Amino acid sequence: MVRYVLLACLPLVGIAALSASAPPAPSVVEKDALPLVKKYCSGCHTGKAGAGGISLSETSLGAVLKNRSAWDRVPGVVAGKSMPPENMPQPTPAERKQLVETLEGAFTQADCKLSDPGRVTLRRLNRAEYNNTVRDLLGTFLRPADEFPSDDVGYGFDNIGDVLSLSPLLMEKYLQAAKRLANDAIRAPGEPPRPRRVEPGQLTGTGGLTDTEVGFQLGRTGDMATASFDFPVAGIYALRIEAHGDQAPPEPAKMGISFDNRDIKTIEVPNEVEKPLLVSIPVTIVQPGRYSVIARFLNNNDVRTRKKDRNLYVHFIELQLPGSVRQGLSYALPKDDSMPAWDEAARGFLTPLATRAYRRPVTPAERERLIQLTHLARQKNQATEFPAGLRLAVRGILASPSFLFRPEPDTVPGAMRALTDYELATRLSYFLWSSLPDERLLSLASAGKLKDPATLALEARRMLKDPRSSALADNFAGQWLQLRKINVVQPDDRAFTEPLRRAMAAEPARFFTGVVQEDRSILEFIDSDYAYVNDALATHYGLSDVRGEGMRRVALPAGRRGGLLSMAGILTLTSNPARTSPVKRGKWVLENLLGTPPPPPPPNVPELDKPGEKTAATTVRKRLEEHRKNPACASCHAQMDGIGLALENYDLLGRWRTQDSGQPIDASGTLPGGSKFSGPTELKGILLQKKATFTRTLTERTLTYALGRGIERTDRCNLDAMAASVAKNNYKFSAVVEAIVLSPPFRQRKSDK
């Protein structure tokens, strides 16, 4: 057991806050901390044979600082009372406090002296950033990055420079996308907006074969083909779906069409592939945004009695935009047939476009190279060849490293420097919007005003209120809270339908966006008196008077719901396919809300549910009690199980229940440190008491996402200051963002050595 105890989960109890006085001097560390370590820890943790591979035999502050990988763990496990082990002599409360505060003070002092803002590895745009960037740059509704290889993940996010490699396949995809985007963005004068079409190979959903000649096959009742579109402005759009079916008596194939989680039409589909059905449905958009269109197969025939199979084939789903929508880029034709007139027109178009694409002023040499590309199309008829020349130049821009990457050049090796205004604008826009800077940011950067802290904070608050800040829900919260997994979980419960899955995924994203854009308290992530639901989710929760499939905010009765922990999507993704999992739920809270992830389980530990073993008559609580009898499991499970068991009133789909396997739910528990609770309400109360820990965790995760790198030891001092600033500003979400964008790690960088 001793081998694993120091690797046990970091504590629910937060590390004691530092006093307002100066950090302890080294002599104080050697006097007040190291004797306690020798008394209570060194017996097991000395030399190469130390328990868990951890040695704590140092006798001076200098030696301790050289062995930080081991010593950084000490304050946490001591404060959380998971160290020393229960069967060993225990320090008094005063000794625990003295040890924690002394070590933390020394570590903070050492780190703050370094004043190191860190270094971010050169980053390429990830898939989400690429799609958003070409949308805002070119006015296109194509999403070519959906077909790119998946981005690697580091430190929990897919925008980390260290893991964003560039493979030959991805480079090939970039070149293909550049050609497609240029053709979409540069159209002949007077050409109306082109429809946005999703072909069979681009449709997602459930079904059989995807054949570009036949279509996306739906062979079972409930199979669906899904396409998502951006609706840039309020207005009337047209959805067009083409399909045909394999027929079987006594009725033709039927297709149900839904938009934004609302069923809007049911259609009988003919069986001639040469003469398919083309249906056009008007859709009125009040709130611009991204919405999904779903074609669903409704009436597969019974396999036991059929003589002929009935199937549905979707050829494409298409969106036609209102005539008022500006799609693509505007340009002026040359004034005459001369080369100077051609170059003048090309220069007037390409200079501002390349400046936006590169997120900095384009150099004269870069601009002239782009103009030379347009010459490749120059012949006689400028009305047609000039647009072709612009397409070639746009392809050059989109294939440029200045577009695909976000460079922040090193200067003197190892030296620190402030970011330029343009680099700040780029960091800020990709942090909050996952897209390139808008005209206002570039204008401020051009005037040299973005370095001013007041201006930078003001711009951050402006951008949070912009609809583009919904990218934070999609790309930050979706990874921080692991919400993306909701789309792939497969619970073994017939009540888990696709409409419910979509509502489960939409609720936390909509909740997060509301906190961001309304600048609400981050403590509402722990508990709130409202939720965002639609009719399917309201029925699931037992709420009344909610109609329609659109998500809306509703007030909650006290007791059962509120905050992230009671959301069905999160409860489902932290369950096993056939039952709840207090271990997964407890681990999710420790990892995502408290920043104390448990280590991997030791090898050769038996699973809670053995394959083939019948466990229906035994509650999860009782099975966990048996599991914790294994000493190798006890230390971590003491941290996770108490949290997870508090959520046992929610079943594997997040429905409220009072029994498990016919026995009353016991949602009580005790956490390390002695905190007792019963049920989700009391658990949330305990978490709210640890709001300082949660605030630091959220700030750390947000900083990781904002910087595109992992948090380093030298960030400790900055994180402490950021978390304190958030608390002083009533825990508003804008306070988290403002603390980050004004911090040295965000505004500065260190060159490589």
Side-chain angles (χ1 to χ4, degrees), residues 614-644:
K614 294 183 178 180
T615 58
T618 306
T619 65
V620 173
R621 174 181 282 273
K622 291 182 179 179
R623 296 205 294 277
L624 282 172
E625 289 173 354
E626 291 295 318
H627 193 69
R628 285 198 299 272
K629 291 181 180 179
N630 186 332
C633 306
S635 58
C636 267
H637 279 276
Q639 302 281 347
M640 295 184 292
D641 293 359
I643 297 172

Side-chain angles (χ1 to χ4, degrees), residues 27 176 185 190 227 317 330 368 391 485 490 549 572 583 602 668 679 686:
S27 60
Q176 293 172 355
I317 300 178
S330 300
E368 293 309 309
R391 292 188 192 104
K485 294 181 180 179
Q490 294 292 339
E549 295 198 30
T572 299
V583 176
S668 63
I686 291 174

Side-chain angles (χ1 to χ4, degrees), residues 371-412:
I371 292 174
Q372 290 299 315
L373 285 176
T374 71
H375 292 173
L376 298 177
R378 178 176 166 82
Q379 294 178 11
K380 294 181 179 179
N381 189 351
Q382 294 185 10
T384 57
E385 277 107 26
F386 186 72
L390 295 185
R391 292 188 192 104
L392 291 173
V394 170
R395 289 169 62 180
I397 289 173
L398 298 180
S400 168
S402 294
F403 171 77
L404 297 172
F405 290 85
R406 296 167 48 187
E408 295 172 353
D410 288 340
T411 52
V412 179

Side-chain angles (χ1 to χ4, degrees), residues 9 75 78 97 110 117 156 194 197 211 232 327 380 452-453 457 489 513 533 574 612 661 705 753:
C9 314
V78 171
K97 181 179 180 182
R194 294 173 181 170
R197 177 176 293 189
D211 189 323
Q327 183 182 5
K380 294 181 179 179
D452 176 54
V489 294
T513 300
V533 299
T574 54
S661 300
Y705 176 81
K753 295 181 180 179

Side-chain angles (χ1 to χ4, degrees), residues 507 511 528-533 541 552-556 561:
E507 181 189 13
F511 186 92
S528 67
D529 59 2
Y530 66 93
Y532 289 89
V533 299
Y541 288 165
R552 73 215 58 189
R553 178 171 164 171
V554 299
L556 291 173
R561 304 285 170 182

Side-chain angles (χ1 to χ4, degrees), residues 338-355:
S338 66
M339 181 67 79
W342 174 291
D343 288 355
E344 181 183 1
R347 190 175 294 110
F349 172 81
L350 292 171
T351 300
L353 181 67
T355 295

Side-chain angles (χ1 to χ4, degrees), residues 194-262:
R194 294 173 181 170
R196 166 73 167 97
R197 177 176 293 189
V198 180
E199 303 287 357
Q202 300 169 307
L203 293 168
T204 60
T206 56
L209 300 174
T210 298
D211 189 323
T212 56
E213 297 295 326
V214 179
F216 191 91
Q217 180 186 19
L218 307 178
R220 301 168 298 176
T221 299
D223 277 357
M224 63 183 66
T226 303
S228 296
F229 300 98
D230 289 313
F231 292 76
V233 298
I236 300 177
Y237 296 72
L239 297 174
R240 288 161 47 94
I241 301 177
E242 185 177 273
H244 83 280
D246 291 332
Q247 306 303 328
E251 59 184 7
K254 293 183 179 180
M255 177 174 64
I257 301 173
S258 65
F259 173 73
D260 187 27
N261 297 334
R262 293 179 289 110

Side-chain angles (χ1 to χ4, degrees), residues 63-107:
V64 168
L65 294 177
K66 290 181 180 180
N67 188 22
R68 285 287 295 278
S69 60
W71 281 88
D72 276 342
R73 302 187 184 194
V74 174
V77 295
V78 171
K81 299 183 180 180
S82 57
M83 274 289 160
E86 293 181 358
N87 60 343
M88 301 294 288
Q90 300 294 311
T92 66
E95 287 176 322
R96 285 187 189 273
K97 181 179 180 182
Q98 176 178 309
L99 177 59
V100 168
E101 291 188 349
T102 303
L103 289 179
E104 279 296 313
F107 294 163

